[in-house]
Amino acid sequence: MSAVRISCFLQDRNGTSTEATAKRVGVTQPYLFRLFPGKKAIFVAALVRSVEYTRLAFERAEGGAEGGEQTLRAMTDAYARLISTRPETLLMQMQGYAAVAAAEAEGDDQTGELVRAGWMRLRETVHLALGADVRETTSFFACGMLGNTLTAIGLSSDHREAGA
């Protein structure tokens, strides 16, 4: 699914019919159900794709960097560009993490397994790009989650830079 389709599904996930979702992304509802068995499967596919978009952004950024601080800055900048140009990527992931907990509470372990596998590929990409340094990797993701949270709740960049 493309980012546009992820965006459409993100808006339609709760309360909108799959017929309306299919129409918004330019396919028929029967075609949508040939691809996915239900709305939950569509959501999981969109979430997995969203994580992969992020991983690929880090991989491309790392490829042009010299290592060390330059790699860290390149990946940070690549992510900032990704979430500013495709905010649905961040929102999809934030909703997805909560959805995993909800699915597992209902006895669905498969959703969590798929999302965790994607997240581990994302983590491995970053970890290797940062020289397999556990502290650098942990710090990168910790700062990233703080930035994600502040962005998702709508704090301005002035607030983010001030650490509030």
Side-chain angles (χ1 to χ4, degrees):
M1 298 181 92
S2 70
V4 172
R5 290 183 175 153
I6 289 171
S7 178
C8 289
F9 188 74
L10 183 61
Q11 294 170 7
D12 293 345
R13 186 171 67 90
N14 295 316
T16 301
S17 71
T18 53
E19 183 178 357
T21 300
K23 188 174 183 177
R24 287 186 67 192
V25 299
V27 298
T28 65
Q29 186 182 29
Y31 182 72
L32 192 63
F33 283 112
R34 271 187 244 131
L35 298 174
F36 305 100
K39 209 168 194 179
K40 184 177 184 179
I42 298 168
F43 178 75
V44 171
L47 175 57
V48 167
R49 188 69 195 136
S50 176
V51 172
E52 182 63 6
Y53 282 157
T54 304
R55 191 194 71 73
L56 290 171
F58 290 148
E59 189 174 79
R60 284 188 298 272
E62 184 265 336
E66 297 287 325
E69 189 64 34
Q70 188 180 16
T71 298
L72 182 64
R73 173 57 45 204
M75 290 192 308
T76 300
D77 292 347
Y79 187 66
R81 277 190 308 278
L82 177 66
I83 64 171
S84 68
T85 59
R86 292 184 168 177
E88 69 276 2
T89 302
L90 168 62
L91 298 175
M92 188 74 194
Q93 289 176 37
M94 297 292 275
Q95 284 191 11
Y97 300 145
V100 167
E104 289 183 345
E106 295 174 356
D108 171 8
D109 295 330
Q110 184 180 12
T111 297
E113 289 171 13
L114 287 169
V115 173
R116 282 187 290 275
W119 197 91
M120 290 306 294
R121 284 189 301 274
L122 173 71
R123 186 223 176 259
E124 187 70 7
T125 297
V126 169
H127 186 61
L128 294 175
L130 296 177
D133 184 305
V134 173
R135 286 187 181 164
E136 284 289 324
T137 303
T138 301
S139 178
F140 180 82
F141 281 107
C143 291
M145 273 312 275
L146 175 60
N148 286 348
T149 302
L150 297 175
T151 299
I153 64 173
L155 280 179
S156 70
S157 59
D158 293 341
H159 287 99
R160 289 193 300 264
E161 289 171 10

